[in-house]
Amino acid sequence: MMYAAIMGYGTIGSGVAEILVNYRDRIARSAGQEIELKYVLDLREFPDSPVADRVIHDFKTIEEDEQIKLVVETMGGLKPAYSFVKACLSAGKHVITSNKALVAAHGTELLQIAREKNVNFFFEASVGGGIPIIRTLYRCLTGEKIKEITGILNGTTNFILTKMDREGASFDEVLREAQELGYAERNPEADVEGHDTCRKIAILTAMMTGKEVNYEDIHTEGITQITDVDFRYAKEMGTSVKLLGTSRMVDEKVYAKVAPVMIGREHPLYAVSGVYNGILVKSDMLGTSMYYGSGAGKLPTASAVVADLIEAVQNEKTNVPIGWGAGRQEIADNKASESRYFIRVAGDAKEKAGLVQEAFGEVQTLVLEGMDEFSVLTKKMSEEEFTRRAIVLDSGCQRKGENGIRQIIRAELED
């Protein structure tokens, strides 16, 4: 029997406890021995909980108990999670976390401590909730060279964009609904500004390259500027807008970014809707593979944590090769990355056809009835080239005393 402790009895922590208690025999069969939940660390009391008699308030109890070999961290954030996890690993305990902020910020150091102490630091639940993507990368695709990982990695933003697409609602309206339903926090900045997705694609990029990735190096945009008008154009074009975290290997350089992207019906991520997540992986032998499921939620995320617990028990005295080393992966300048661009331009399409032609050459043009604007879809070009051409268009409009570009969205569409 191996004894476990859970640090943080919130949504995910309580889900892990529920699975460990209710599916004890099933887990024992998979792990090869029983896992006994001994402690639950939290600031609060839970008198009506099935684990009420195991609740403690002093971290030192876990750190100093030599019986505890498995520690689950589901507190979130960096303080005190980082110091607690580091102490547990240093004490020779296996640690499993769902904390993407912790893994993105301190994963390199914590993985190294785990190797030195011959224990494991597992973090399947830090990306994609219950979707088994981390284990897929280091187990199932271990012989592959990963060329690209692109994902819808945040359920809150995908819920918002899906509702805007299907109902024609505004961003503010759907955000309020998401908050009422519990899908969005009272302060939704981490989700809607793309920070959550950024940390997750940083972790996946590190898994892809085997090197440390600084999430602050990744160009990040959110969805707060996406409007219902954008979706009116998208519907006419047979496309939709999704917030994507993307990491691509091009000529041995890694390009990574987070941004809203217009994609067509043929794209594997087009049908990923609501609070679900989807992750697309392209590798040299398998080609394109797709991973889809619940990106959050109590039991889906707890399921991923428990899978890590079982693997830790199966490798009680062995460090599993996972993650990345101390070498730093450089993220290439986003100016060189290429895509097509969807642009909304103020004014009459016929009157401004010459200005658009001068700036972008041949484009696809779309006019919506009753609008004082039009849209164009450019050919594929680098970010740097697009910026230069967009300045030409805006400058041309200003010379005529008119407004220019109203909206820009990258587009992953065939020419």
Side-chain angles (χ1 to χ4, degrees):
M1 178 181 292
M2 289 186 70
Y3 289 90
I6 295 173
M7 300 191 299
Y9 196 66
T11 300
I12 301 170
S14 62
V16 174
E18 181 179 327
I19 293 173
L20 289 177
V21 172
N22 293 344
Y23 300 97
R24 182 187 183 101
D25 293 341
R26 181 194 300 176
I27 292 169
R29 286 194 299 271
S30 297
Q33 58 179 301
E34 290 186 7
I35 299 176
E36 176 69 29
L37 179 59
K38 188 173 182 179
Y39 301 124
V40 173
L41 177 69
D42 205 287
L43 295 174
R44 301 161 293 173
E45 296 286 355
F46 299 92
D48 299 324
S49 165
V51 298
D53 59 336
R54 305 173 216 195
V55 174
I56 60 172
H57 308 296
D58 185 357
F59 166 70
K60 285 291 183 182
T61 303
I62 294 173
E63 182 184 14
E64 296 172 359
D65 190 334
E66 294 183 0
Q67 271 195 323
I68 297 294
K69 297 298 182 184
L70 304 167
V71 179
V72 173
E73 185 277 304
T74 53
M75 295 182 291
L78 297 180
K79 294 180 180 181
Y82 167 60
S83 60
F84 285 5
V85 167
K86 184 176 179 179
C88 288
L89 290 170
S90 298
K93 304 176 191 295
H94 301 280
V95 176
I96 292 89
T97 185
S98 60
N99 189 341
K100 69 264 183 183
L102 175 68
V103 179
H106 298 290
T108 305
E109 178 189 6
L110 298 174
L111 283 164
Q112 183 57 36
I113 295 172
R115 295 181 191 112
E116 292 170 356
K117 295 295 182 177
N118 202 36
V119 292
N120 291 290
F121 177 58
F122 289 141
F123 46 91
E124 179 65 70
S126 68
V127 180
I131 302 172
I133 186 61
I134 301 295
R135 187 165 286 103
T136 296
L137 292 174
Y138 76 83
R139 289 282 193 211
C140 305
L141 299 179
T142 187
E144 298 267 355
K145 180 175 182 179
I146 307 299
K147 297 180 177 180
E148 177 185 338
I149 300 177
T150 295
I152 294 171
L153 301 171
N154 182 276
T156 299
T157 52
N158 202 44
F159 172 83
I160 292 171
L161 293 175
T162 299
K163 293 281 283 189
M164 291 177 70
D165 186 1
R166 293 179 177 175
E167 300 178 8
S170 71
F171 171 82
D172 290 336
E173 288 173 332
V174 182
L175 175 58
R176 283 195 296 272
E177 181 179 352
Q179 289 171 321
E180 290 168 0
L181 292 171
Y183 294 148
E185 301 288 343
R186 182 170 296 179
N187 178 0
E189 180 180 350
D191 294 323
V192 300
E193 295 294 354
H195 304 315
D196 178 82
T197 297
C198 175
R199 284 164 174 76
K200 292 173 180 176
I201 198 63
I203 294 169
L204 293 177
T205 304
M207 292 294 299
M208 179 176 86
T209 63
K211 296 180 180 180
E212 179 184 39
V213 172
N214 185 349
Y215 65 88
E216 293 179 344
D217 293 340
I218 297 175
H219 177 83
T220 301
E221 301 171 23
I223 64 168
T224 56
Q225 301 304 310
I226 301 298
T227 72
D228 53 329
V229 176
D230 297 322
F231 281 103
R232 287 184 60 188
Y233 282 107
K235 188 163 291 186
E236 289 294 321
M237 297 165 63
T239 66
S240 188
V241 179
K242 304 287 188 181
L243 182 69
L244 301 183
T246 299
S247 182
R248 288 193 179 102
M249 183 85 70
V250 181
D251 298 328
E252 300 307 313
K253 292 182 179 180
V254 175
Y255 295 86
K257 65 174 175 286
V258 174
V261 179
M262 184 174 283
I263 58 175
R265 292 190 178 98
E266 73 286 348
H267 197 290
L269 294 172
Y270 178 87
V272 178
S273 60
V275 295
Y276 282 86
N277 284 192
I279 304 169
L280 181 73
V281 179
K282 294 182 180 180
S283 54
D284 59 350
M285 292 181 285
L286 175 61
T288 300
S289 54
M290 174 83 171
Y291 308 89
Y292 168 85
S294 296
K298 179 178 179 177
L299 293 181
T301 306
S303 170
V305 172
V306 171
D308 278 348
L309 273 169
I310 290 171
E311 183 160 5
V313 174
Q314 292 170 336
N315 294 275
E316 179 181 355
K317 301 182 184 303
T318 305
N319 174 260
V320 176
I322 175 181
W324 52 90
R328 176 67 65 88
Q329 176 61 57
E330 181 181 353
I331 302 299
D333 192 332
N334 194 55
K335 292 178 182 177
S337 64
E338 294 187 337
S339 67
R340 301 180 74 185
Y341 293 86
F342 165 83
I343 313 168
R344 286 169 44 205
V345 185
D348 183 87
K350 291 181 180 179
E351 291 179 1
K352 290 190 174 175
L355 291 174
V356 172
Q357 173 77 27
E358 177 187 354
F360 290 103
E362 293 298 321
V363 295
Q364 297 177 27
T365 302
L366 178 64
V367 179
L368 294 181
E369 186 176 349
M371 301 293 291
D372 62 342
E373 64 174 55
F374 61 99
S375 74
V376 299
L377 184 63
T378 73
K379 293 186 178 297
K380 193 172 185 179
M381 64 186 70
S382 70
E383 192 102 359
E384 185 173 34
E385 180 183 358
F386 171 77
T387 301
R388 187 172 64 250
R389 289 173 178 267
I391 291 172
V392 171
L393 176 56
D394 254 346
S395 298
C397 293
Q398 290 169 11
R399 284 196 303 271
K400 292 189 172 186
E402 299 173 350
N403 293 323
I405 296 174
R406 288 181 172 173
Q407 177 67 293
I408 300 168
I409 302 175
R410 293 170 185 82
E412 294 292 329
L413 303 169
E414 296 297 325
D415 284 327

